[in-house]
Amino acid sequence: MIENLLEKIHNNCHNVDVEIIKKAYSFAEEAHKEQKRESGEPYIIHPIDVAEILAELGMDTSTIAAGLLHDVIEDTECSYELMVNTFNEEIANLVEGVTKLTKLGEMEYKTKEEQQADNVRKMLLAMAKDIRVIIIKLADRLHNMRTLKFMPTKKQKMKAKETLNIYAPLAHRLGMSKIKWELEDLCFRYLHETEYYELVHQIAEKRVERETYINNVVIDLKKRLEDAGIDSDIEGRPKHFYSIYKKMVNKNKSIEQIFDLTAIRVLVNSVKDCYGVLGIVHTIYRPIPGRFKDYIAMPKPNMYQSLHTTVIGAQGKTFEIQIRTFEMHKTAEYGIAAHWKYKEGDSSQEDNSKEFEKKLVWLRDMLEWQKETSDAEEFIEGFKIDLFSDEVFVFTPKGVVINLCSKATPIDFAYRIHTDVGNKCVGAKVNGKIVPLDYTLKTGEIVEILTSPNSKGPNMDWLNIAKSNQSKSKIKQWFRKAKKEENIIKGKELLDKELKKQGVNLSDIAKGDSYEKLIKRYNVHCIEDLHVVIGVGGISASSFVSRLKEENEPVKEKEMQESLNKTIEDHIAKTDRQKNSQNYGITVKGESNLMVRFAKCCNPVPGDEILGYITKGRGVSVHRKDCSNLKNLIDTDGEKVVEVSWGIPSGNAYFAEIQVKTEDRMGMLADIMSVITDLKLHLSALNANAAKEGIALIGIKIKINSIDELKDLMKKIKRLKGVIDVYRMNS
């Protein structure tokens, strides 16, 4: 296994210290030697495969070593200190960073959205500290998705959904398209299994025909480029299943209506050759208007550069051609990881580092925005929009290219230039013409923002007009500072109205862990701060009250339970004091004056079929005929079994024990108590076990006069809502 890893390092990486890799492998193998994967394979296979993915990306020594060791702190007795002493602080920090991300899922949260939001926040912080942490995590997730078939179906869907929502968008934002596409196709397979295999079958049906057509195009184009003296590498690339599926869903088209199932990729040596190839392509094939994109002049924020054009070929078939340099292709495949592929031993390392920092500006923007946004659902939705939306590229009047999110407006452009430009914006021009502030910007337009020193600042409508989270965050900041008094009044009104609507007092719910967490997150130090946050829309009043109300529900429930328990105890104490004057005796083979006692294992009551068992010094023990203990006694010494029968009343009380199997619902104990009270029976003991998987067991010990009373009780309890079964106890 280690040989495969070393071979991949040799083929893809530069200046990797192989001795450290071998040492990390031996350490991980020893640490995980007793562990197995869900598939039954040795656990060490997982970290090795993760390290191989990192080697394919061309990562450095520390990252590949950390990939081998990434589960050691979490899953074994190994500590951070041991990692530092055995390797170094850099490797130990990477391993600990991945471990912290993994352990996020173990924390307790009120909602799934809240858990996911907190996970993503921690992930952003880890990325800001060292981007390699998330690259290791992506490699870890990719291998887990590749081996997901060994997991239960429910876990498969949960992991696939999380991967599609969080990890695939992250890979996209980091420019790691190779990982992104594979993650998406694996998620597609587990989330939409029927559609996945249907699509695979449909594409396979005409694969030969399609490949023949594309091969002819490749041969023709190759010859034309050779004639023009352009050295190139051309290949047909099938589109990924998930991208085809998304196109079918978004455009409501069938597979027959989607023609560009395959793209042709042309790799050349220089930018000049890219545009040369484009000119030749457009002379051979007719380009489709509006389907040309120049990501070389205007790179995507994730560093992607390429020329895209969709053309019509022979037989009227459309296909896409992508043109880029070999260097651009490496960046397109490996994204941010390409930084490590060539950074060591590079004389321009300082310039590269500055360029690398520029590429992570979006991460700093996102960190700033997440500090301002505390609503879990809004944060997760915004995160996905920021990471996975298309971009538009517009120009300033001086020709500077500005990339914005899809459907961006002049307000987004203004705040992207500078916060003050946004706050003082009074209008906008696009291509020299005045446009409204909610105008949707398109790629290639020239945008000019009109400002005024007398501007009153943003208005609340801007929050709906702005599309980027950064713009919305800056607008909210302005309101928080400039409109504090107004927001205090507005927030107080909204909060008071919501408290009244939900029937609670603020003093009753403003406590507990959730409250502490909320006021820290929103930087709330007093009631006025809380009113401001609600007034500016930082959190909705209904969300705030509902969350805290829910937090304090368990306290109320506990109080109700304690009250009910006391009622039960009082009832038992009261009935224990009452003497039942009517009792029954037992005759043994016709004799009524022999010493008898009722077996506690089955608690026979008048009307039950019974047998006696002669004991040493304690007379005859009376059991129900169906008692399992009695059956064991008969098997051991059947000669001691005697015939017994119910005689005349003797003044004793009879106890019966029943068990109720029920759905876990509030008020069940109270309903059972009500049935016992209505039947005027005397409760002796009641025991309710903690619910497991939504099912609770309630044991009841009751004083009765006959089997008919017991049957009546059991029948009425069984009729209660949520009761699954009622039966006699028999140990």
Side-chain angles (χ1 to χ4, degrees), residues 368-375 378 423 458 460 463 472-488 521-524 528-539:
E368 280 301 311
W369 167 69
Q370 68 92 18
K371 290 176 188 174
E372 300 292 326
T373 309
S374 302
D375 184 84
E378 181 190 338
N423 289 339
M460 289 301 286
L463 286 171
K472 291 180 180 182
S473 175
K474 288 173 181 177
I475 295 166
K476 287 176 183 178
Q477 277 179 2
W478 187 88
F479 278 112
R480 195 171 286 128
K481 290 175 183 175
K483 301 276 185 178
K484 188 173 180 180
E485 288 302 319
E486 186 181 320
N487 285 318
I488 288 173
R521 183 179 292 175
Y522 288 102
N523 201 23
V524 170
E528 285 190 349
D529 288 345
L530 177 60
H531 290 151
V532 169
V533 172
I534 293 172
V536 80
I539 185 172

Side-chain angles (χ1 to χ4, degrees), residues 561-602:
Q561 185 63 47
E562 287 174 353
S563 172
L564 182 60
N565 288 347
K566 190 173 185 308
T567 305
I568 291 170
E569 286 167 9
D570 291 346
H571 187 87
I572 290 170
K574 182 181 175 184
T575 55
D576 277 347
R577 288 193 298 269
Q578 294 175 351
K579 297 295 179 182
N580 188 346
S581 60
Q582 190 173 26
N583 298 303
Y584 295 85
I586 293 288
T587 61
V588 181
K589 290 190 175 182
E591 297 293 329
S592 59
N593 58 350
L594 297 179
M595 184 170 69
V596 295
R597 67 181 184 85
F598 294 112
K600 290 183 179 178
C601 55
C602 56

Side-chain angles (χ1 to χ4, degrees), residues 418-434:
H418 196 278
T419 304
D420 285 343
V421 174
N423 289 339
K424 292 177 180 177
C425 171
V426 292
K429 285 183 179 181
V430 171
N431 296 337
K433 294 180 180 178
I434 297 285

Side-chain angles (χ1 to χ4, degrees), residues 100-101 104 107 109 117-127 370:
K100 282 179 179 175
L101 290 184
L104 287 172
M107 298 171 68
Y109 298 89
D118 210 24
N119 288 3
V120 173
R121 283 191 173 92
K122 299 276 174 59
M123 204 177 291
L124 289 173
L125 290 170
M127 287 163 67
Q370 68 92 18

Side-chain angles (χ1 to χ4, degrees), residues 633-672:
L633 291 170
I634 293 170
D635 291 340
T636 306
D637 192 354
E639 292 181 2
K640 291 185 178 181
V641 176
V642 293
E643 293 290 335
V644 294
S645 58
W646 295 104
I648 57 173
S650 62
N652 292 322
Y654 298 97
F655 293 94
E657 286 188 56
I658 61 172
Q659 184 141 290
V660 183
K661 185 178 181 183
T662 172
E663 293 173 4
D664 182 28
R665 72 165 176 85
M666 286 186 64
M668 179 58 80
L669 283 176
D671 289 348
I672 291 172

Side-chain angles (χ1 to χ4, degrees), residues 133-144:
V133 169
I134 201 61
I135 294 174
I136 297 168
K137 187 65 185 171
L138 284 171
D140 172 48
R141 180 52 64 106
L142 178 57
H143 183 250
N144 280 332

Side-chain angles (χ1 to χ4, degrees), residues 164-177:
L164 198 60
N165 285 341
I166 304 298
Y167 292 99
L170 266 175
H172 169 76
R173 203 62 166 89
L174 295 171
M176 301 165 74
S177 62

